[in-house]
């Protein structure tokens, strides 16, 4: 049997033009591995009056697990994108195409009112 | 889709066996043969010279789409399903590229099609796919019901499509697969030109690997523009099995169909699978259903879905990696997917996957590089490919030079021989946004929080057929009988801040919140959208009467 290894040691450098680039794909995979949320995705977006944000949209397992899901996605983001400003938003569903890829524009349209509300409320301070 | 020759063969072997199930419609192989013969004859009579090079299909999976695709395959017409969800711009670009001479369209998609500027050249013949539906006569438009009244086809037209699974002789008759945009609003749809005669080899490989046979009852819960679902449906029909077309946005109905139709295999789109697993109706499927293999695209499927599928459906979920450019390249079987990392898989029969370094040399196991695919399913090229813009590389593997398609994925082969996708070679894709509209929406929220004439409010942006892209603003008035002032203030604020979007303001008794303070938009929209839609329709009819 071949020797186990750490593939991350051999990761090629990612393009640097986007500040969220290097850890973004690791974060995508970490979010997929979270069993405490039904779905979770990360969108690198530029929000008005805020700037570049790692927007974490997640579907909680239920109302009771919303806080736990929020903590889990923010912790994953902290591990993979430690320098990024992250904002987690719970949602009832994530619009996807036939391949399962997120329909990012539609999702952001749906989330923007809630994000705006979060950013002027004390809850967002915990992010 | 399969051709008339194959349908006749299965109809002769078992005329009463079920071929297609779609909603309340159930077609035996004899029925399927009859309707394909009639539709093929109806098309041949209406098309110039009996055929056109290309057809496009704008409809969900249903029995009429299977018949339409079978008729096109019989006539040697390349029929490509298009995705209507990205909107008119993407659809216009798609139609401009393939320039179809024939358009199959569901009645519900006609407004979208009418909104698209037509490509230059002769207007495509439109077939409205409604079972028995009547549409006012329009030039160049016929209904599916009208096609079905044609006399059955007795002789195949003189073309190069007589043999099953043969190649198209004409360069115009390319077999195309839709490559959707990246979902960010940038870039548009492209088309992959599928290799000639790939289908028979693919059929043999799929049967060898997964043991499909004529006794299988196959669930198709993926839209026709998703290539894996289409390939599996075609495979099962080519073997003489039964295809059950199911809605992919109704989980309760999906669970009922799986149980009552005794489905054994299936292809389901990831969104439909997540919806099914989250619905209480799927709780008993592991005990009541006969499922043995369910395929879905696994790239975006999370751990919760994999674990819940095991609990609710049993050991059936196969996570596939498939693109229009490469076909089905990797599959992760159910047992291994429980312990394997996300976005990993094992190559399917007929596919060779390698990891390439910067100089296009094959990297050893454990090294991360660009994933490349070779095999008989890999496309010839993109339809709009420019000279020199080729996504292929010639690589020496096992002493032989092979042509590999360079995917946009980075990955490595792990110590257990699994290929793991770890990133994209192009880096993150920026989301194209109307920043002014976003900023206006942010300011609107601030404005609304400062309005003294309401107790609470919730702004939601929706895109529903009846209202289009619009804002819905629900509010609780500051006191009973003060709804009027709240309505006026909110309408004015929306018109001032976001004039580009129509705003529908409605007073409600309560706004539902989750324990963490999030507005439960689904619950709220379920309550207010029917009322707003009704009001909107009444307003429109009143305006119509006044202007008349």
């Amino acid at each position: 049997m071949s020797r186990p290894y750490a593939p991350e040691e051999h990761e090629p450098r990612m393009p640097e033009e986007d500040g969220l680039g290097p850890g973004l794909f690791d974060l995508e995979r970490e979010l997929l591995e979270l069993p405490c949320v039904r779905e979770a995705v990360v969108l690198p977006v530029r929000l008005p009056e805020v700037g570049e944000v790692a927007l974490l949209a997640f579907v909680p397992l239920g109302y009771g697990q919303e806080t736990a899901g929020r903590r889990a996605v923010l912790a994953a983001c902290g591990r993979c994108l430690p320098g990024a400003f992250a904002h987690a938003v719970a949602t009832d569903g994530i619009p996807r195409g036939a391949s399962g890829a997120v329909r990012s524009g539609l999702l952001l349209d749906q989330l923007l009112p809630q994000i705006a509300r979060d950013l002027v409320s004390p809850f967002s301070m915990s992010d | 889709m399969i051709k008339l020759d194959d349908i006749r063969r299965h109809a002769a072997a078992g005329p009463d066996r079920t071929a297609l199930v779609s909603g309340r419609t159930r077609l035996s192989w004899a029925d399927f043969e009859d309707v394909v013969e009639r539709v093929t004859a109806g098309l041949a009579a209406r098309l110039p010279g009996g055929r056109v090079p290309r057809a496009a299909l704008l409809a969900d999976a249903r029995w009429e789409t299977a018949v339409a695709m079978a008729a096109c395959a019989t006539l040697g017409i390349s029929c490509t399903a298009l995705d209507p969800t990205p909107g008119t711009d993407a659809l216009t670009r798609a139609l401009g590229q393939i320039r179809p001479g024939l358009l199959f369209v569901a009645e519900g998609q006609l407004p979208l099609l009418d909104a698209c500027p037509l490509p230059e050249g002769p207007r495509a013949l439109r077939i409205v796919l409604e079972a028995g539906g009547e549409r006012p006569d329009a030039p160049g438009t016929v209904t599916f019901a009208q096609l079905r009244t044609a006399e059955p086809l007795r002789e195949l037209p003189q073309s190069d499509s007589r043999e099953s699974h043969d190649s198209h002789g004409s360069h115009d008759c390319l077999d195309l697969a839709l490559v959707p945009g990246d979902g960010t609003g940038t870039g548009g749809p492209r088309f992959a030109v599928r290799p000639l005669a790939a289908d028979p080899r693919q059929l043999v490989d799929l049967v060898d690997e997964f043991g499909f046979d004529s006794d299988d009852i196959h669930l198709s819960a993926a839209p026709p523009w998703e290539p894996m679902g289409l390939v599996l449906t075609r495979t099962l029909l080519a073997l003489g099995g039964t295809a059950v077309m199911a809605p992919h946005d109704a989980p309760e109905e999906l669970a009922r169909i799986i149980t009552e139709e005794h489905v054994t295999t299936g292809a389901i789109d990831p969104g439909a699978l997540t919806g099914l697993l989250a619905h209480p109706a799927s709780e008993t499927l592991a005990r009541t259903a006969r499922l043995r293999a369910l395929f879905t695209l696994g790239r975006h499927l999370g751990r919760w879905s994999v674990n819940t599928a095991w609990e609710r459906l049993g050991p059936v979920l196969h996570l596939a990696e498939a693109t229009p450019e490469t076909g089905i390249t990797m599959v992760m079987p159910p047992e291994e997917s429980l312990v394997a990392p996300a976005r990993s898989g094992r190559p399917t029969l007929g596919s060779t996957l390698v990891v390439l370094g910067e100089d296009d040399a094959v990297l050893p196991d454990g090294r991360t590089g660009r994933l490349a695919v070779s095999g008989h399913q890999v496309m010839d090229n993109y339809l709009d490919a420019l000279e020199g813009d080729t996504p292929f590389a010639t690589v020496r593997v096992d002493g032989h030079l092979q042509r590999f398609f360079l995917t946009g994925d980075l990955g490595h082969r792990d110590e257990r021989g699994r290929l793991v996708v770890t990133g994209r070679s192009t880096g993150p894709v920026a989301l194209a946004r109307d920043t002014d509209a976003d900023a206006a929406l942010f300011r609107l929220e601030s404005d609304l929080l400062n309005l003294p004439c309401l107790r609470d409010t919730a702004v939601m942006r929706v895109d529903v057929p009846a209202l289009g892209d619009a804002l819905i603003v629900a509010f609780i008035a500051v006191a009973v009988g003060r709804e009027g002032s709240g309505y006026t203030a909110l309408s004015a604020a929306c018109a001032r801040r976001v004039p580009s979007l129509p705003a529908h303001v409605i007073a409600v008794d309560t706004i539902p919140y989750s324990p963490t303070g999030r507005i439960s938009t689904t619950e709220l929209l379920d309550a207010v959208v029917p009322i707003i839609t009704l009001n909107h329709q009444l307003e429109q009819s009143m305006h119509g009467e006044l202007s008349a």
Side-chain angles (χ1 to χ4, degrees), chain B residues 2 41 53 67 76 83 93 99 114-115 158 175 182 323 339 359 409 463:
Chain B
I2 62 171
V67 170
D83 180 4
R93 288 199 294 272
R99 298 179 177 278
D114 290 337
Q158 294 295 320
D175 190 2
D182 53 23
T323 66
V339 292
D359 53 355
D409 295 326
D463 192 355

Side-chain angles (χ1 to χ4, degrees), chain B residues 8-19:
Chain B
R8 283 176 171 162
R9 186 161 45 84
H10 295 310
D16 297 328
R17 293 182 66 240
T18 305

Side-chain angles (χ1 to χ4, degrees), chain B residues 32-301:
Chain B
F32 191 28
E33 178 192 17
D34 180 65
V35 71
V36 172
E37 281 181 346
R38 290 177 187 276
V39 170
T40 306
L43 284 178
R46 285 172 172 82
L47 295 175
R51 55 178 291 184
V52 289
R54 291 176 195 158
L57 189 142
L58 201 60
D60 271 332
R62 47 202 296 172
W63 71 268
E64 292 99 327
T65 57
V67 170
M69 291 177 122
C72 285
T74 305
L75 290 170
I77 299 170
S78 154
C79 185
T80 310
L82 303 179
D83 180 4
T85 49
T88 50
D89 288 348
L91 186 58
T92 304
R93 288 199 294 272
L95 290 170
Q97 283 187 59
I98 61 174
R99 298 179 177 278
L102 186 58
L103 258 167
F104 295 96
V105 55
E107 197 162 24
Q109 302 293 350
L110 278 170
L112 177 69
L113 191 60
D114 290 337
C116 295
L118 292 170
E120 290 175 11
R123 192 174 188 274
L125 175 68
R126 290 184 184 189
I127 313 292
V128 183
L129 286 183
E130 297 295 333
E134 294 298 328
R135 179 172 161 79
D137 285 338
T141 303
V142 291
T143 63
F144 194 73
Q146 285 172 320
L147 284 186
R148 289 177 63 194
T149 58
E151 283 297 311
L153 187 79
R154 292 300 167 213
E155 265 187 44
L156 288 175
Q158 294 295 320
S159 74
D160 51 358
S161 60
R162 288 190 173 197
E163 293 175 26
S164 298
H165 304 302
D166 65 353
S167 61
H168 305 301
S170 161
H171 289 294
D172 290 333
C173 293
L174 301 169
D175 190 2
L176 304 175
L178 175 71
V179 184
D182 53 23
T184 61
T186 56
R190 301 183 83 182
F191 290 90
V193 180
R194 296 188 68 235
L196 301 175
D199 293 349
R201 287 192 61 183
Q202 191 172 34
L203 188 146
V204 171
D205 287 342
L206 286 169
V207 170
D208 273 359
E209 193 161 6
F210 302 109
F212 297 128
D213 63 31
S214 60
D215 291 327
D216 274 322
I217 299 168
H218 180 77
L219 175 80
S220 175
W225 55 89
E226 194 279 291
M228 185 187 71
L230 191 63
V231 162
L232 292 179
T233 304
R234 182 173 57 211
T235 300
L236 267 296
L237 285 175
L239 291 169
T242 301
V244 182
M245 311 291 192
H248 52 97
D249 52 357
E252 196 170 3
E253 175 72 356
L254 204 51
R256 184 195 66 76
I257 288 172
I258 290 172
T259 307
E260 291 183 5
E261 296 294 340
H262 307 296
V263 166
T264 57
T265 63
I268 185 168
D269 84 46
L273 177 69
T274 306
L276 175 69
L277 295 174
H279 198 279
S282 65
E283 273 176 9
T284 57
L285 284 178
R287 295 193 303 276
T288 56
R290 288 178 53 201
L291 267 176
R292 67 175 180 84
L294 186 65
F295 293 81
T296 192
L297 297 175
R299 171 162 294 207
H300 304 283
L301 212 62

Side-chain angles (χ1 to χ4, degrees), chain B residues 149-473:
Chain B
T149 58
E151 283 297 311
L153 187 79
R154 292 300 167 213
E155 265 187 44
L156 288 175
Q158 294 295 320
S159 74
D160 51 358
S161 60
R162 288 190 173 197
E163 293 175 26
S164 298
H165 304 302
D166 65 353
S167 61
H168 305 301
S170 161
H171 289 294
D172 290 333
C173 293
L174 301 169
D175 190 2
L176 304 175
L178 175 71
V179 184
D182 53 23
T184 61
T186 56
R190 301 183 83 182
F191 290 90
V193 180
R194 296 188 68 235
L196 301 175
D199 293 349
R201 287 192 61 183
Q202 191 172 34
L203 188 146
V204 171
D205 287 342
L206 286 169
V207 170
D208 273 359
E209 193 161 6
F210 302 109
F212 297 128
D213 63 31
S214 60
D215 291 327
D216 274 322
I217 299 168
H218 180 77
L219 175 80
S220 175
W225 55 89
E226 194 279 291
M228 185 187 71
L230 191 63
V231 162
L232 292 179
T233 304
R234 182 173 57 211
T235 300
L236 267 296
L237 285 175
L239 291 169
T242 301
V244 182
M245 311 291 192
H248 52 97
D249 52 357
E252 196 170 3
E253 175 72 356
L254 204 51
R256 184 195 66 76
I257 288 172
I258 290 172
T259 307
E260 291 183 5
E261 296 294 340
H262 307 296
V263 166
T264 57
T265 63
I268 185 168
D269 84 46
L273 177 69
T274 306
L276 175 69
L277 295 174
H279 198 279
S282 65
E283 273 176 9
T284 57
L285 284 178
R287 295 193 303 276
T288 56
R290 288 178 53 201
L291 267 176
R292 67 175 180 84
L294 186 65
F295 293 81
T296 192
L297 297 175
R299 171 162 294 207
H300 304 283
L301 212 62
R303 184 58 55 194
W304 176 85
S305 300
V306 173
N307 292 348
T308 311
W310 182 276
E311 288 168 15
R312 294 197 163 197
L313 306 178
V316 299
L317 188 65
H318 290 67
L319 303 180
E321 181 70 31
T323 66
E325 293 98 329
T326 61
I328 305 170
T329 52
M330 293 197 293
V331 171
M332 182 58 81
E335 295 81 4
E336 199 173 359
S337 64
L338 283 180
V339 292
R343 296 183 174 171
S344 60
R346 294 188 180 280
T348 52
L349 281 179
S351 293
T352 306
L353 279 95
V354 292
V355 181
L356 299 180
E358 286 181 5
D359 53 355
D360 285 349
V362 178
L363 295 176
D365 289 0
R367 295 286 303 277
T368 297
R370 194 167 182 181
L371 295 184
V373 186
S374 170
H376 54 262
Q377 298 176 55
V378 173
M379 69 169 184
D380 289 339
N381 209 336
Y382 290 110
L383 184 65
D384 61 349
L386 301 172
E387 202 166 331
D389 176 26
T390 174
F392 295 96
T394 304
V395 180
R396 185 174 293 279
V397 178
D398 298 333
H400 301 287
L401 284 174
Q402 291 183 48
R403 181 173 176 261
F404 278 82
F405 171 71
L406 301 169
T407 69
D409 295 326
L410 298 175
H412 63 267
R413 194 183 295 272
D414 72 6
E415 72 276 13
R416 295 183 187 277
R418 295 181 293 235
L419 279 148
V420 185
V421 179
T422 56
R424 282 186 289 275
S425 60
T426 52
V429 181
L431 185 61
R433 296 290 298 175
D434 180 350
T435 49
D436 292 342
D438 288 353
L441 208 57
F442 263 57
R443 289 189 205 107
L444 175 67
E445 279 287 343
S446 302
D447 285 2
L448 299 193
L449 286 174
N450 293 325
L451 284 178
C453 56
L454 44 94
R455 195 181 297 167
D456 195 7
T457 182
V459 180
M460 293 161 288
R461 188 166 176 181
V462 297
D463 192 355
V464 291
L467 304 174
D469 187 9
L471 289 181
I472 288 183
V473 184

Side-chain angles (χ1 to χ4, degrees), chain A residues 15-27:
Chain A
E16 298 289 341
E17 65 269 22
D18 191 313
L20 299 178
L24 193 68
F25 303 111
D26 293 339
L27 177 57

